[in-house]
Amino acid sequence: MVRAPGRRSGPDHRGRRRQPIGDCLLFNADDTDERYSVPDTLAWQGNAYVRTGTVLRSTLGEPLATVVANEVDRQDTIGGACSKESNTLRYGHHTLTEHACRDNFLAEGSRYDLGARDMVSNLNWFMNVPVEADGALGIVDGISGPGRRVAFRAEKDLLVLVSNCPQMNNPCNEFNPTPLRMIVTDPEEHR
Amino acid sequence: MTAVTHDQPGPQALSPQEEHRTDTVLAARDDARGRTGRRAEAMPYLPAASSPYVPAGVDPEGLVWAETVAGGNYTHKVVAAGTHVRLEDVEGTACAHLLLFNALEPWERLNVADTMKIPWQAYLGAGHPLLSGDGRVLATLVADDSGHHDGFCGSLSDAAAIAKYGACAPESASPSGRSLFTLAAAKHGLTPRDLPPSVSFFQGVRVEEDGTLTFTGSAGAGRSVELVAEMPLIVLVATSPHPLDPRPDYTNGMLRVHAWRGAPTAAGDPLRDTSPEIHRAYLNTADYLTARGL
């Protein structure tokens, strides 16, 4: 739980390797029916990528958080989370037993009475998903690096779910999950 | 109170009550029954075979759903696996927002991120599978003569509708897509928790190199898309402007829906083998339906 207003939290990764990925879902802590909305965030700003200044909007179109600092060119929110099931599509049925972000969301969400109905498209801190001119879209080599950071400020009291992506089959995290550091700053320090 | 019909207008302007004789139960019943057979521009056609707008090449007797939906409204239906659903932009100003749910387990539903990511293609077009978050194909987009669609922007939220048009409620002059989906979902026991990002048809968006989302509008009147249900589906459709529509007035024309009996995309159909990812998505769907005895 991250309290608002003016409170700032920031995933930050300092892995030994280059880039862990922080798959992230946001919920209004007081009413989890209001949750992060990719389309509202993108349509409101008229841009497909998340950068400094992006207001992360809810299903009601209201601000949940604002990206206040960002050390990579663009952050992804269109690539979605990996799941055991989508891994079977992307890589084959031999990957079904591997860990995946959607299961991490479901496991952590279950502590707050959230389930499959509450899973929506998410943020992918540090992931690189370009959309090419013909609509070709995919997860490619990262544009992040050791020690790069992003920070967002909660505009409402939030429930924040983060999965350090355990994917071992694609370049989002260089085929190798590494530690992701997350610092939540006491809002009192920012008054 | 004097009974006055529209065919015999009174000598002066009449209030609605004065146009109807409804002072007894039987009079009220007759008055209500007097409305039978009226037509509206937007309405469902029952039975579906009676549709005045049967698509070319479709057997009217096979129709299971025929409806004209007004802009700023919604429709919904549970359809059997194999049902073909055709959406037509009658006037070139429609924007049809679509959500699909597995009718047997509605927490399995359209996942826009996987629908774009798994086929390695953000822009919807003929042959594109609409995927759930459970690695299965809910429906296949089998025909498309528009090409102006969008998976990035969803439908209007309440806040966006208020900011742009001044109101968002379903009964207002500018319903948000979200408020319309909320009602459509409620008809199937679903709540706002059950509303993930949607896709929309007939108003296009393209992504520029810097990520700018450029609205490309409509491909023109009479364009259509056709989906095939790969499993029993709850289909929700909301008609409201695209969030990036630059027109200052709430612009959203009629949508025509026709659906007819057919078969799911069969093993051996080239659509199932357009890529290894899509091939496995159909395998997963078939596996699910087989185990359920469907």
Side-chain angles (χ1 to χ4, degrees):
Chain A
M1 290 283 185
V2 177
R3 287 184 300 142
R7 295 116 206 237
R8 183 173 169 181
S9 71
D12 150 333
H13 62 98
R14 301 215 167 130
R16 286 159 298 187
R17 295 290 296 273
R18 198 155 64 100
Q19 56 162 42
I21 301 301
D23 286 48
C24 180
L25 282 175
L26 310 174
F27 297 83
N28 176 343
D30 298 320
D31 176 9
T32 55
D33 279 6
E34 181 182 16
R35 68 277 307 264
Y36 178 61
S37 169
V38 171
D40 286 288
T41 297
L42 300 187
W44 204 289
Q45 70 171 7
N47 195 287
Y49 303 120
V50 173
R51 300 184 173 95
T52 301
T54 294
V55 176
L56 305 174
R57 290 187 182 269
S58 75
T59 45
L60 304 184
E62 294 179 1
L64 290 177
T66 305
V67 178
V68 293
N70 172 37
E71 295 180 344
V72 303
D73 178 51
R74 55 173 191 257
Q75 302 277 356
D76 171 65
T77 195
I78 55 182
C82 64
S83 68
K84 285 170 171 283
E85 295 78 16
S86 68
N87 280 349
T88 72
L89 306 187
R90 180 64 97 215
Y91 311 109
H93 287 92
H94 64 285
T95 61
L96 185 66
T97 56
E98 296 175 4
H99 297 301
C101 285
R102 194 162 191 266
D103 276 18
N104 285 346
F105 284 150
L106 287 169
E108 288 302 303
S110 69
R111 300 166 57 196
Y112 302 92
D113 284 335
L114 300 176
R117 296 166 64 196
D118 305 292
M119 296 296 108
V120 289
S121 295
N122 54 293
L123 290 146
N124 290 303
W125 300 117
F126 308 113
M127 196 160 87
N128 184 19
V129 182
V131 183
E132 297 179 357
D134 63 353
L137 165 153
I139 300 164
V140 301
D141 288 345
I143 49 177
S144 182
R148 298 288 183 93
R149 297 172 296 177
V150 65
F152 61 92
R153 179 183 66 222
E155 306 294 357
K156 292 185 176 180
D157 290 359
L158 297 180
L159 169 63
V160 182
L161 299 185
V162 176
S163 166
N164 183 354
C165 182
Q167 183 60 257
M168 298 187 295
N169 300 286
N170 78 37
C172 75
N173 52 12
E174 296 192 319
F175 300 82
N176 179 30
T178 53
L180 178 78
R181 180 172 297 152
M182 188 159 140
I183 299 167
V184 181
T185 307
D186 187 332
E188 302 303 327
E189 294 177 14
H190 287 276
R191 286 191 183 273
Chain B
M1 195 179 290
T2 307
V4 177
T5 72
H6 290 290
D7 296 325
Q8 297 163 297
Q12 61 208 9
L14 298 168
S15 75
Q17 276 122 338
E18 287 171 319
E19 295 180 38
H20 300 279
R21 189 188 149 195
T22 52
D23 55 336
T24 69
V25 171
L26 287 183
R29 187 185 70 181
D30 289 345
D31 180 77
R33 287 178 174 173
R35 254 64 64 77
T36 298
R38 289 197 187 181
R39 309 286 291 180
E41 202 171 42
M43 64 182 290
Y45 311 106
L46 274 71
S50 71
S51 170
Y53 308 104
V54 178
V58 173
D59 175 9
E61 295 308 314
L63 287 171
V64 297
W65 183 8
E67 183 171 359
T68 302
V69 187
N73 219 296
Y74 67 93
T75 187
H76 55 98
K77 193 77 80 182
V78 180
V79 300
T83 305
H84 287 238
V85 180
R86 182 182 190 269
L87 307 176
E88 180 189 343
D89 175 3
V90 178
E91 301 155 298
T93 52
C95 187
H97 303 276
L98 179 76
L99 281 175
L100 302 174
F101 303 75
N102 173 349
L104 305 167
E105 301 183 84
W107 44 92
E108 177 178 12
R109 61 199 188 193
L110 179 68
N111 184 309
V112 172
D114 283 359
T115 293
M116 299 199 298
K117 176 174 63 178
I118 296 299
W120 304 89
Q121 176 53 250
Y123 301 146
L124 299 176
H128 205 116
L130 300 179
L131 299 174
S132 76
D134 295 274
R136 296 189 276 257
V137 188
L138 296 174
T140 310
L141 186 56
V142 291
D144 170 24
D145 66 2
S146 164
H148 286 224
H149 314 306
D150 177 40
F152 290 99
C153 296
S155 66
L156 282 170
S157 64
D158 286 3
I162 290 170
K164 190 163 182 187
Y165 306 111
C168 67
E171 68 277 15
S172 74
S174 54
S176 67
R178 182 87 185 170
S179 73
L180 298 168
F181 270 137
T182 299
L183 289 178
K187 304 294 170 72
H188 299 275
L190 304 174
T191 75
R193 282 176 81 183
D194 299 297
L195 298 176
S198 51
V199 292
S200 63
F201 296 108
F202 306 123
Q203 302 292 332
V205 167
R206 285 294 180 266
V207 183
E208 311 295 343
E209 194 172 356
D210 66 353
T212 299
L213 296 167
T214 299
F215 182 75
T216 62
S218 166
R223 304 300 175 102
S224 65
V225 294
E226 188 179 318
L227 302 156
V228 174
E230 303 292 354
M231 63 171 72
L233 295 178
I234 301 170
V235 179
L236 307 185
V237 178
T239 55
S240 70
H242 189 278
L244 297 186
D245 193 321
R247 288 168 283 203
D249 297 329
Y250 189 93
T251 306
N252 196 248
M254 287 186 296
L255 179 76
R256 196 153 285 143
V257 182
H258 283 92
W260 57 93
R261 291 189 200 93
T265 306
D269 188 310
L271 280 177
R272 284 178 57 151
D273 295 308
T274 53
S275 76
E277 299 87 6
I278 289 172
H279 176 76
R280 287 191 287 268
Y282 285 100
L283 277 183
N284 284 351
T285 301
D287 181 69
Y288 174 80
L289 294 174
T290 301
R292 285 204 68 127
L294 294 171

